[in-house]
Amino acid sequence: MLFLIFISYLCGRKASFYVDKWKNGSYLNLIDWQMFKDVLRMFALFLRAGWGIIYRGLFLIVGMAMPMVVSAQHLDEIDDFVGEPTIPEAPVVEEEKADMPFETIEVNGVSFNMVRVKGGAFSMGGTEEQGEDADPDELPVHEVTVGDFLIGETEVTQELWEAVMGSNPSKFRSPQHPVESMRFVDCVSFFFKLNYLTNRHFRLPTEAEWEYAARGGDKAMPTKYSGSDDFDAVAWYCNNSGNVTHDVKTKEPNELGLYDMSGNVDEWCDEPWLSYVDKVAKATDANDHHPYKVRRGGGFLDFARHLRVSDRRGCSEHMWNYDIGLRLAE
């Protein structure tokens, strides 16, 4: 475009030059040379002005069209990104949450489920279905009432322990294996950190809560082991474990949907290991410190009799073993 304007300018200059030459050479004596020169200059100016108008017009048209093109492209991109309109899901209200059988919690990228257990009364100890396997410390059978609570769907996994503590004490390393080889006092540190990260009140279950959940809570069937009379179906123990722990949730659950309440690893409870006679009679002061804590459920090294829902044993709170783990409660 600038080139055309430049040519028009040269035409004007050349026209003036030839007019002077023709005038001096008397080529066209009858013409008013000055007027003729002015006409040519006016024509050149008009030509240059015309090209300028065309140039500005094209620039204006392009300037108006480009935003429209860009906007159309952006709209296409937005359509591609958004896709079909979706209707957002309605938020879950607290009443609906309470009706769910479990609650999922996440900490440092690791999620775990807590099963809701409706409280009730039950017979605790060596009940009739336990037969001759019941030990003296499981007697007398006594009625106990527990309130509503939450309990872990599985034993605490190594993945969850490491997400909270930053380390893994286990001998048999695998993310979905139950964590083991921790002392009772280590569990206290674990709960302190877990509750800080989640703003919750997780803890170990009481012995009564553990047995009530192992029996199936308000859905309980009179079975010897947690969820079945067939210990091979629900438990990893000495005859099928290969003397190692296994991934949680690889055996059948009990009536509440809890896994490995029998077998895999023993589980700490937040109570001292005392006889039921002392507990029922409340013969001991609750403020007394008892270094031996209850362990429940049996583990991968145990015989079947220790997998029973009423079986109970004790262990020093300062002792660790690679067949003892834990389960959350709240």
Side-chain angles (χ1 to χ4, degrees):
M1 193 66 68
L2 293 175
F3 175 74
L4 293 175
I5 295 173
F6 179 67
I7 294 299
S8 299
Y9 171 76
L10 291 180
C11 288
R13 295 295 302 272
K14 285 291 184 181
S16 297
F17 171 77
Y18 284 114
V19 167
D20 290 339
K21 185 172 181 181
W22 292 337
K23 181 180 178 181
N24 294 334
S26 300
Y27 293 119
L28 297 171
N29 293 325
L30 298 177
I31 298 176
D32 188 341
W33 299 112
Q34 185 61 42
M35 183 179 67
F36 184 63
K37 186 191 301 185
D38 292 339
V39 170
L40 289 177
R41 284 177 177 170
M42 287 294 293
F43 176 75
L45 289 174
F46 176 77
L47 187 61
R48 275 183 284 179
W51 282 119
I53 292 171
I54 294 172
Y55 175 78
R56 288 178 175 83
L58 290 174
F59 183 80
L60 180 61
I61 293 172
V62 171
M64 294 175 63
M66 282 302 294
M68 297 174 64
V69 173
V70 173
S71 298
Q73 291 176 345
H74 285 179
L75 288 173
D76 290 341
E77 292 174 0
I78 292 171
D79 289 340
D80 292 340
F81 177 76
V82 175
E84 294 296 326
T86 57
I87 300 174
E89 295 181 1
V92 179
V93 298
E94 291 301 321
E95 292 80 3
E96 292 175 341
K97 287 183 179 179
D99 292 336
M100 294 180 179
F102 62 87
E103 179 181 355
T104 300
I105 300 98
E106 183 173 326
V107 55
N108 287 339
V110 177
S111 60
F112 58 95
N113 293 332
M114 297 293 292
V115 175
R116 301 181 188 278
V117 181
K118 182 177 176 58
F122 75 106
S123 296
M124 184 173 181
T127 47
E128 183 178 355
E129 78 280 352
Q130 302 302 314
E132 296 180 356
D133 286 334
D135 291 323
D137 67 345
E138 299 172 35
L139 301 172
V141 176
H142 53 288
E143 291 296 311
V144 176
T145 300
V146 297
D148 296 349
F149 63 99
L150 296 172
I151 193 166
E153 179 187 40
T154 70
E155 295 156 333
V156 172
T157 63
Q158 295 177 29
E159 180 181 47
L160 177 57
W161 182 279
E162 193 163 358
V164 174
M165 302 295 285
S167 60
N168 184 358
S170 305
K171 177 178 180 180
F172 305 105
R173 298 289 183 92
S174 183
Q176 291 303 308
H177 282 208
V179 67
E180 26 86 3
S181 301
M182 88 291 293
R183 304 167 298 172
F184 181 91
V185 291
D186 296 325
C187 297
V188 176
S189 298
F190 171 76
F191 285 116
F192 179 82
K193 291 185 177 182
L194 178 62
N195 291 335
Y196 174 79
L197 292 171
T198 59
N199 196 29
R200 302 286 290 259
H201 299 88
F202 295 115
R203 55 178 174 80
L204 290 171
T206 66
E207 190 175 13
E209 287 173 338
W210 190 96
E211 185 168 325
Y212 180 71
R215 288 178 177 271
D218 61 344
K219 303 174 183 178
M221 300 293 290
T223 56
K224 200 168 189 176
Y225 311 99
S226 183
S228 177
D229 284 324
D230 178 8
F231 45 80
D232 269 309
V234 296
W236 293 109
Y237 71 113
C238 65
N239 286 349
N240 67 6
S241 68
N243 294 331
V244 296
T245 59
H246 291 262
D247 283 358
V248 298
K249 298 180 71 169
T250 51
K251 290 290 186 178
E252 295 178 10
N254 74 353
E255 297 89 339
L256 293 175
L258 304 177
Y259 295 84
D260 299 313
M261 292 295 280
S262 292
N264 218 356
V265 290
D266 261 311
E267 301 172 15
W268 289 110
C269 289
D270 193 16
E271 282 193 36
W273 185 39
L274 299 173
S275 71
Y276 283 153
V277 174
D278 288 339
K279 281 191 174 183
V280 172
K282 298 182 180 179
T284 58
D285 187 343
N287 294 321
D288 288 347
H289 179 74
H290 300 277
Y292 280 84
K293 306 298 183 183
V294 173
R295 52 188 284 191
R296 285 294 205 117
F300 68 95
L301 293 176
D302 286 316
F303 294 109
R305 69 187 318 273
H306 291 303
L307 308 176
R308 297 175 299 107
V309 292
S310 61
D311 184 74
R312 58 197 301 261
R313 290 177 290 176
C315 186
S316 169
E317 63 185 7
H318 298 288
M319 180 179 176
W320 63 268
N321 204 324
Y322 51 78
D323 66 346
I324 304 179
L326 74 157
R327 188 180 298 260
L328 303 179
E330 186 180 31

